[in-house]
Amino acid sequence: KMVRAEERVEELEGQVEERKGKMEEVEEEMNQLQARHNEVCEKEVRTQEECVRLSAMVNAYAVQRENLQAGMTKSEAKVLELAGEVEDAKRTAQRARDELAAAERSHGLAITKIRAEESKKRSADMEEIQSEAKQTVEVEVLRVREDGESARREM
């Protein structure tokens, strides 16, 4: 029995050694898994921190986009307002061009009328000058005739 017990003890000691070896392997694997777990947790913490940081950045960009959109809406409204002002200015300029053209036509007619009046006046002046010249010539002709007749009588 004793031999048998010794064999059994040896067998159990072998099993204990075997289990110790397995236990060391398991412990090594457990240590590796713990290290991997720690690494993953560390990455997860960094990832969560990065996620929070990126989320804050996204929110900041969203606010910036909303502000830009509001600014763009104001700018679009200003563009429409200015476009209306430009159209008003174009209409005003066209009215001014039309009024200028009418004034130029009126001015042209006035100049033509003045020239016609000046021409009539010059014609009247010319007729008066011709009439005076004719009278002067007639007077001179009469004087020359009289002088001629007087000279004949004296002869």
Side-chain angles (χ1 to χ4, degrees), residues 81-146:
E81 178 185 334
L82 291 175
E85 289 177 13
V86 166
E87 287 304 314
D88 290 346
K90 284 180 181 178
R91 284 191 292 275
T92 301
Q94 185 58 48
R95 272 195 304 274
R97 283 192 292 272
D98 293 346
E99 289 172 6
L100 178 62
E104 286 174 344
R105 284 190 299 276
S106 177
H107 178 69
L109 291 174
I111 287 176
T112 302
K113 188 176 179 182
I114 290 169
R115 285 182 182 156
E117 287 175 12
E118 287 175 351
S119 179
K120 281 181 190 176
K121 186 177 178 191
R122 277 193 301 264
S123 291
D125 289 347
M126 288 295 268
E127 285 176 14
E128 187 179 325
I129 290 170
Q130 284 177 346
S131 174
E132 288 174 6
K134 191 175 182 183
Q135 286 175 357
T136 304
V137 167
E138 286 174 2
V139 167
E140 282 297 311
V141 166
L142 286 175
R143 193 179 60 74
V144 168
R145 277 187 191 161
E146 286 175 7

Side-chain angles (χ1 to χ4, degrees), residues 72-86:
M72 206 162 79
T73 302
K74 286 179 187 173
S75 295
E76 288 169 345
K78 188 67 175 172
V79 164
L80 292 176
E81 178 185 334
L82 291 175
E85 289 177 13
V86 166

Side-chain angles (χ1 to χ4, degrees), residues 7 18 26-27 41 44 46 48 51-52 60 63 73 76 78 82 95-96 102 104 115 125 128 134 141 143 150 152 155:
E7 284 179 359
E18 191 177 303
V26 167
E27 198 171 310
C41 284
E44 185 177 325
R46 281 195 308 257
Q48 285 176 352
C51 182
V52 167
V63 167
T73 302
E76 288 169 345
K78 188 67 175 172
L82 291 175
R95 272 195 304 274
E104 286 174 344
R115 285 182 182 156
D125 289 347
E128 187 179 325
K134 191 175 182 183
V141 166
R143 193 179 60 74
S150 281
R152 272 190 213 156
M155 281 196 184

